[in-house]
Amino acid sequence: MSGAAASGSEPLLTIDAMPSFDRRPNRQRQSRDPVARYLGDLQAAVMQIFWRRESATVREVADELNKKRSLAYTTVLTLVSRLWSRGLLNREAEGRGFRYRAEKSRDDFLTELSDQLIDRLFSDFGAIGVARVGERLNELSEQESQRLRQGRKKR
Amino acid sequence: MSERPTAVFGLLVASATALTLAVAGALAALGIASAAALGATIVGALTACIFFVAALDRVPISALLLVVLALASIGAFIRTLWTYRRERHLLTVLPLEVSSDSALTQVADAAGVTVHVTPARHPAAFCFGLLRPRVVVTSGLLERLSPEEKAAVVWHEAEHVRNREPLRCVLARLATNSFFWIPLLRDLLDRFLLVKEIVADQRAVERTSRAALAGALSEVASAPSLATVGAGDFASARIDRLFAPEAALPPLLRCRHVATSAIGAAALTLTFVFPAQLDLSEQTHLQAMLTSLSLHGLPGMVAGLALNGAMLSAFALGWRQISRRRDR
């Protein structure tokens, strides 16, 4: 699950890499920002910086973050490397450190996140408290799907 | 009667309540103290199963059966609640936005719901939330539907919201999973899931058109399925109903389930026919049996622990297999 391995066509962000999604503190779960609900306030703030600007070093991120709060350099380093190991950032060597870049835009990130959540909702859990339109429709035979498509054309 | 969701749901809940009362009544007849002692013994049996099996002839089999059933039901109940809790947490992470499509909002207002959009590509529409259900449609589905088809989806979901279907689903699944040893409840659950969809489909067709709903369903059904379980008669019954309102539903009961339920019911009846009274001497015997574990010395301890470990892992593996199949 390393960031280096995540550069191929594999999905970069996997919820399995974050098994604790159901053990979030209440405050985090009530956040208005969907990114913060998933990643937590601080990591979401870091991602926000990367989405605003092309690339940044850890030092630059720390400076930008510290306009509003005061975080130690090492804290920011931890945040950034966690996001990197999760495949949300990629990096290239620069001087003695690294320059980081967002792997994908905010919209792409949210799309992938909700796709994975929905897949997981309908596969792992069998959706206990969810009433959906497609309830078991994936069991349809080819013939019946054909029938539906024909019914659609007839207007 | 078996075609009205409320009736089927009511029957399901009534059966589960009756079963709960029966088990509770039998436990009460056994005596709280005896039941607790037996329960502790069965849990303790996991650590002393060798001695326990050896001493089985001292325990009335009907009482043992009753307590095993009750413990299993409580376990399954808690497990379902736990799964639901995880599902809720997953849903709170889901990015949701109130729909900004004005045509869609108009339909939603008419149907009395708020439509939320999530940016997933996967075509899906559902509602969740116990007291105030929320309707969610993925942007992937919206892209593929005409305005009338979107309206059909909204009306379909609005019917679920109106009936507080998520709450009913949770209760129905709690009932079914808790009394897994009466699989007839599972048949009732399947029937409930089917008729609630059929009723929502009917409502969507009344408000829009059959072609619109057919279009929406065919897009939803086109989603790559991760897991296909069941023979598909559920889905075909729904499609049959869409095009021919008189089409017959699949049979309510399955023979396999009837047979298993008969065994389960017989087990429960047994405890009423042969009410078991543990007298105090039996209880002290059980306790002595448990404490005797240490008296058997190191070999007994090691054997007990090894067997216990094997039993627990076999149980956990089997349980995972079963529950993976059952949860769907």
Side-chain angles (χ1 to χ4, degrees):
Chain A
M1 210 47 68
S2 76
S7 52
S9 57
E10 293 277 296
L12 291 157
L13 169 85
T14 58
I15 292 171
D16 292 334
M18 222 175 156
S20 60
F21 74 89
D22 54 342
R23 268 176 262 137
R24 305 295 163 83
N26 257 330
R27 196 173 52 78
Q28 177 179 332
R29 283 202 248 113
Q30 281 155 8
S31 167
R32 300 204 72 115
D33 178 16
V35 182
R37 281 205 300 268
Y38 179 57
L39 292 173
D41 275 354
L42 281 177
Q43 292 189 44
V46 173
M47 282 314 291
Q48 212 58 57
I49 291 173
F50 280 105
W51 282 323
R52 212 161 40 225
R53 50 190 290 173
E54 267 295 285
S55 64
T57 60
V58 175
R59 171 58 65 195
E60 286 163 7
V61 174
D63 288 347
E64 185 128 0
L65 275 180
N66 282 337
K67 285 176 191 163
K68 281 193 194 143
R69 30 193 139 202
S70 66
L71 297 172
Y73 175 81
T74 48
T75 312
V76 180
L77 180 66
T78 312
L79 292 174
V80 169
S81 56
R82 254 191 218 154
L83 289 169
W84 172 76
S85 67
R86 228 171 246 165
L88 293 174
L89 298 177
N90 57 33
R91 70 184 188 187
E92 59 202 36
E94 185 186 273
R96 288 194 299 167
F98 292 100
R99 178 162 280 279
Y100 292 86
R101 235 174 264 279
E103 186 66 50
K104 51 185 58 196
S105 70
R106 185 172 189 269
D107 286 348
D108 287 350
F109 166 77
L110 287 179
T111 299
E112 205 157 286
L113 174 64
S114 42
D115 259 324
Q116 289 206 15
L117 287 170
I118 284 181
D119 281 356
R120 190 148 171 190
L121 178 68
F122 292 139
S123 61
D124 286 18
F125 300 113
I128 293 184
V130 172
R132 57 173 161 156
V133 171
E135 184 80 45
R136 299 204 202 170
L137 277 187
N138 54 12
E139 293 166 15
L140 277 186
S141 68
E142 187 45 46
Q143 202 184 356
E144 283 156 342
S145 317
Q146 192 70 37
R147 205 169 154 198
L148 268 183
R149 282 195 292 274
Q150 274 168 2
R152 182 186 201 175
K153 272 180 224 138
K154 242 182 345 195
R155 308 222 170 205
Chain B
M1 166 263 163
S2 66
E3 297 207 5
R4 284 178 36 227
T6 311
V8 181
F9 175 73
L11 186 59
L12 180 55
V13 170
S15 328
T17 314
L19 280 169
T20 313
L21 288 179
V23 172
L27 282 177
L30 186 62
I32 301 297
S34 315
L38 257 185
T41 313
I42 289 164
V43 174
L46 292 174
T47 36
C49 51
I50 289 181
F51 310 100
F52 180 73
V53 170
L56 254 188
D57 60 322
R58 307 296 299 270
V59 182
I61 200 79
S62 58
L64 190 69
L65 211 54
L66 173 70
V67 177
V68 166
L69 286 182
L71 280 177
S73 287
I74 292 168
F77 182 86
I78 292 171
R79 195 175 165 283
T80 312
L81 271 188
W82 188 254
T83 317
Y84 176 67
R85 182 176 165 274
R86 294 196 62 200
E87 179 185 306
R88 268 321 295 240
H89 287 176
L90 187 145
L91 281 165
T92 56
V93 180
L94 190 70
L96 290 180
E97 261 173 43
V98 175
S99 157
S100 53
D101 178 345
S102 63
L104 194 62
T105 320
Q106 257 177 11
V107 178
D109 285 346
V113 294
T114 314
V115 175
H116 297 260
V117 180
T118 184
R121 284 176 297 243
H122 185 108
F126 54 93
C127 67
F128 72 94
L130 297 186
L131 296 180
R132 280 177 301 153
R134 287 203 268 180
V135 176
V136 181
V137 185
T138 65
S139 57
L141 181 65
L142 289 181
E143 276 166 20
R144 300 174 190 208
L145 298 183
S146 71
E148 208 194 358
E149 289 164 348
K150 289 180 199 170
V153 170
V154 172
W155 281 108
H156 178 107
E157 287 305 325
E159 178 69 12
H160 288 323
V161 171
R162 203 171 64 95
N163 295 325
R164 298 242 166 87
E165 227 85 83
L167 176 63
R168 286 191 189 183
C169 284
V170 172
L171 292 178
R173 286 206 161 89
L174 276 175
T176 314
N177 291 354
S178 305
F179 296 104
F180 60 91
W181 39 275
I182 306 277
L184 283 182
L185 295 189
R186 176 138 293 266
D187 289 338
L188 279 180
L189 173 71
D190 280 349
R191 173 54 60 97
F192 167 65
L193 292 177
L194 176 60
V195 290
K196 84 173 167 50
E197 292 303 325
I198 288 178
V199 166
D201 282 350
Q202 278 167 357
R203 177 138 153 132
V205 169
E206 280 164 22
R207 296 290 175 158
T208 57
S209 71
R210 184 172 297 160
L213 185 66
L217 291 186
S218 77
E219 284 301 342
V220 172
S222 73
S225 62
L226 294 151
T228 305
V229 283
D233 53 350
F234 184 104
S236 19
R238 210 177 139 191
I239 303 306
D240 286 347
R241 268 304 163 98
L242 179 59
F243 292 111
E246 283 81 40
L249 296 179
L252 174 61
L253 305 178
R254 275 162 283 190
C255 294
R256 190 162 45 89
H257 285 178
V258 175
T260 323
S261 302
I263 298 173
L268 188 57
T269 320
L270 193 70
T271 64
F272 282 105
V273 179
F274 303 105
Q277 291 290 335
L278 288 189
D279 59 16
L280 200 61
S281 62
E282 288 287 350
Q283 282 183 41
T284 42
H285 170 75
L286 290 175
Q287 278 160 8
M289 190 187 73
L290 279 180
T291 47
S292 71
L293 182 66
S294 54
L295 300 180
H296 285 75
L298 199 59
M301 287 282 266
V302 172
L305 282 177
L307 209 66
N308 173 18
M311 233 171 86
L312 273 183
S313 35
F315 183 73
L317 273 177
W319 183 257
R320 184 169 292 179
Q321 290 284 324
I322 292 167
S323 57
R324 205 169 272 169
R325 242 172 280 147
R326 205 183 44 219
D327 270 353
R328 300 242 156 80

